[in-house]
Every structure is written in C-alpha cells, then in structure tokens.
Amino acid sequence: MRKEWKKITAIVLLVIIIAGFFIPVPYYISKPGGTEELAPLVTVENHPNNKEGSLSLVTIAMGKANIYTYMAAKFLPYRELEKDSEIKYEDETDEEYNVRQMQLMNESKNNAIQVAYKAAGQEVKVTYDGVYVLSVMEDVPAAKVLHAGDLITEIDGHSFQSSQEFIDYIHSKKVGDTVKIKYKHGDKKEEASIKLTAIDKKGTPGIGITLVDDEKITAVPEVKIDSEKIGGPSAGLMFSLEIYSRFQKDDLTDGKKIAGTGTIDTDGTVGRIGGIDQKVVAADKSGAKIFFAPNDTITKEMKENDATIESNYDTAVKTAKDIDSKMKIVPVKTFQDALDYLNKLP
C-alpha cells in the first residue's frame, strides 16, 4: 500500500512540475540574445560587401514567462520581467503587436536607406502609399472592417501625402459622420463605409486605429534588406552603416567586428532604445570589439518621471564595466558621429 502511495505521489508531483511549464504568468521575460551580421542581409546592386570585418545588429531574446522562468529571472543577471501592459498597447492583440513591430522595422529600414544613400551621394526617392493600420480599438465601427496590417489608400475619394494630412481630414469631421475608405487587405482591394467615433474623453472624432505612414523607397542602385525575422526599429543605425559601407572603397570596419544599436531618423539622428544593457552583454559574448550606443539626451521632464533614468551610453558603459568587457563603447548622437569614428580607425 505504501509503495502505491509513493507511486501516486510521484506521478502527481511530475504532473505539477510539467504543468508549471505551460501555466503562463502575465509577464514577458527578456534576456541577452545575440548578434546578426548585416552583410548577408543587405544586397546593393553591383556593390558587394568588401569588408574583412563586420557590422552587426544586436538582439534581445523575449518570450512569455512561466512559473519557472519568472522565478529564475529574479536571480539571474540581465533578465528583465515586464508586464503585458508595458509591452503591448491597451487591448492590443499578439497579432497587432507583431504587425506593429514589423512595421517599425520597415520604417527603420526606409530611414536607414535614405540616410545612407544621401551620405553616399546616391539617388533615392520616397513615395507615400497610404496609412498603414497597426491596431484597431475594440468596440468601434471600424473593428468590423479593418485589421492590423491593412493599408488605407483613400478616404472620401481623397489621397494624402502623409498620415498627418489623413488625421487632419478626420478631425475636420464630426462624431457620427460616415466616411468611405478604400483599403488593401493583403493583396485584395476593398471599400467600406465607416462611422466615426469619439476616440478620447474630449470627443475627438476618429476611426479608432493606430497608424503609421506606409512609404515606398526607390533607390538607385537597388537595395534590398532581408529582415523577416527581425522586429522593431533598433537596428536602424547599423543598417545605415552597412548600406553606406557598400559605396566605399576602403574597409570601414578596419577588419574589426563591430556591433551597435539605435533607431535612425531621416535626418540621421540616432535614437534611444530599450534593453541596452542586455545588448551590451550579447555583443560582448559574440566577440565584438566596438559597440555603438545612442548618446541620447535626458530631459528634465524625463528625470521628473524617473529619477534613475540615464542615457543609453551611460548604461552601456556601466554594463561593460560590470561584466569586465574589453569592448570599446562609442557614444553616437547621429549617423555622422558613427561615421567619423569609423573613418578614424587605423
């Protein structure tokens, strides 16, 4: 009888242990990922990669936490726990979150191409295709029609040159008015009439979507970036450097393995990113010798909201010291800052 109870107890414990892997908790867990060399991801017509060294983006590994990973994150270094609400917008689905990350990456790539081509004296043209839907509010008329990933090309017979023009037009209407839109759902062209709703407590009229400009880049020579497995905007700086390097006779990297992170605006400004400490750890493990970190400005208002906040560069320097890394941390505010540093390499 005692043996039977031991057997039953062992089975129950095993079931509980296994169940722990599948019981989700309302947190995401992130940790240092790895580096991805950009040369295989970037193709510039008639301009092959001529570097002995490499330029790499840096990733963070993120996933849903379970009971065990949640507890492990409390003790392991450079593991971060973030609530669903800190990762996703209110009422944003997993699908909408993924669409938003992919669109942020596309915007980042377009900005990188513009910055690199202008710096290299190459031809680049931007055309506006419409408003790209990132997410749709629940319980609004548009929710029955639009989905994350749809492209709105016209409204009431009007096309626009920016999302701001689109928003201004909607704001000129009244709550309850109906607008007629033309949009693309996948490869299929659709039309629909949508009643405008109040999108805030002030009664501002709107469709009830978050949106971003959908732009098409025409570059000569043609450039392609394979980023299907990468989301978010943080690779912008490194993409722009990789593209620019294709037009240079000399090896910008001086044969070194160089990693970095930072968003990129069309004017070349490098922006702040999340998880800079985890990216420093990942870059160091990959053997990078140089790491570009955004040297973003911390405003008085930011300090008032979070007294512990510091620039990405300051955090990167502290992290490198903490892990005893020999990697050179280089502060950059602009694309030109990174370029100046590379041009001074031996």
Side-chain angles (χ1 to χ4, degrees):
M1 190 68 174
R2 187 177 295 176
K3 288 183 178 180
E4 286 297 320
W5 274 110
K6 285 183 177 180
K7 188 176 181 180
I8 292 171
T9 302
I11 292 173
V12 170
L13 287 173
L14 182 61
V15 169
I16 292 173
I17 291 170
I18 294 174
F21 287 102
F22 299 98
I23 299 174
V25 294
Y27 286 89
Y28 284 86
I29 184 170
S30 63
K31 61 182 181 180
T35 58
E36 182 93 27
E37 287 192 17
L38 294 173
L41 304 181
V42 175
T43 304
V44 180
E45 186 179 20
N46 298 324
H47 290 76
N49 175 43
N50 65 348
K51 301 185 297 298
E52 292 184 14
S54 63
L55 294 165
S56 300
L57 60 82
V58 190
T59 63
I60 292 176
M62 178 177 286
K64 280 275 193 177
N66 59 40
I67 293 172
Y68 303 120
T69 56
Y70 176 86
M71 294 180 67
K74 294 288 187 177
F75 301 98
L76 294 174
Y78 300 107
R79 303 297 196 272
E80 294 291 337
L81 287 166
E82 297 180 87
K83 294 180 180 179
D84 286 8
S85 59
E86 295 172 333
I87 297 294
K88 297 189 291 187
Y89 293 154
E90 185 178 358
D91 298 324
E92 186 177 39
T93 65
D94 287 341
E95 178 193 13
E96 290 173 338
Y97 172 78
N98 290 332
V99 166
R100 177 161 61 89
Q101 292 302 304
M102 289 300 104
Q103 186 58 27
L104 287 171
M105 167 52 77
N106 287 334
E107 184 179 23
S108 178
K109 289 194 303 185
N110 287 344
N111 290 352
I113 293 170
Q114 292 179 66
V115 169
Y117 269 60
K118 289 175 183 176
Q122 303 297 315
E123 183 181 344
V124 62
K125 181 181 178 183
V126 182
T127 55
Y128 177 78
D129 285 347
V131 170
Y132 193 88
V133 179
L134 295 181
S135 64
V136 186
M137 293 171 63
E138 292 184 344
D139 303 323
V140 297
K144 298 178 181 178
V145 177
L146 296 173
H147 302 83
D150 288 347
L151 178 68
I152 301 176
T153 56
E154 284 187 16
I155 184 164
D156 289 340
H158 301 290
S159 58
F160 302 94
Q161 296 306 307
S162 71
S163 57
Q164 189 57 52
E165 288 186 15
F166 175 91
I167 292 169
D168 290 344
Y169 180 81
I170 294 295
H171 286 178
S172 71
K173 300 289 184 178
K174 297 179 181 177
V175 172
D177 286 352
T178 299
V179 294
K180 187 174 182 180
I181 67 168
K182 289 185 178 180
Y183 66 101
K184 291 180 182 178
H185 181 72
D187 295 329
K188 192 175 181 181
K189 293 182 179 180
E190 304 276 4
E191 292 186 15
S193 294
I194 297 177
K195 183 179 288 188
L196 300 183
T197 187
I199 58 173
D200 56 30
K201 293 180 181 179
K202 297 178 181 179
T204 304
I207 293 178
I209 60 174
T210 56
L211 52 85
V212 69
D213 289 340
D214 188 72
E215 296 176 334
K216 182 179 179 182
I217 299 291
T218 304
V220 181
E222 185 180 9
V223 58
K224 293 180 180 178
I225 301 176
D226 178 12
S227 62
E228 282 189 12
K229 298 179 182 179
I230 307 167
S234 63
L237 168 64
M238 300 310 293
F239 271 128
S240 63
L241 291 172
E242 177 64 37
I243 296 167
Y244 177 84
S245 73
R246 300 300 176 88
F247 298 103
Q248 309 309 305
K249 292 181 180 180
D250 298 327
D251 179 2
L252 274 182
T253 67
D254 188 40
K256 295 178 174 61
K257 186 169 186 176
I258 300 173
T261 188
T263 65
I264 194 79
D265 291 340
T266 53
D267 64 359
T269 300
V270 175
R272 181 182 181 85
I273 58 94
I276 186 71
D277 54 343
Q278 294 171 324
K279 291 190 173 184
V280 168
V281 174
D284 180 68
K285 285 183 177 180
S286 74
K289 301 301 181 184
I290 296 169
F291 184 89
F292 289 125
N295 191 19
D296 52 306
T297 301
I298 304 300
T299 65
K300 183 180 178 181
E301 289 74 21
M302 293 168 71
K303 274 289 187 182
E304 289 175 352
N305 291 329
D306 181 2
T308 63
I309 194 171
E310 59 187 7
S311 72
N312 274 175
Y313 171 67
D314 288 339
T315 302
V317 170
K318 290 180 180 178
T319 304
K321 184 178 180 180
D322 183 52
I323 63 175
D324 196 26
S325 173
K326 300 298 187 292
M327 187 168 59
K328 173 70 175 177
I329 308 296
V330 180
V332 290
K333 286 184 177 291
T334 65
F335 168 80
Q336 191 61 47
D337 286 347
L339 205 56
D340 289 345
Y341 181 86
L342 292 175
N343 285 329
K344 291 177 182 177
L345 291 176

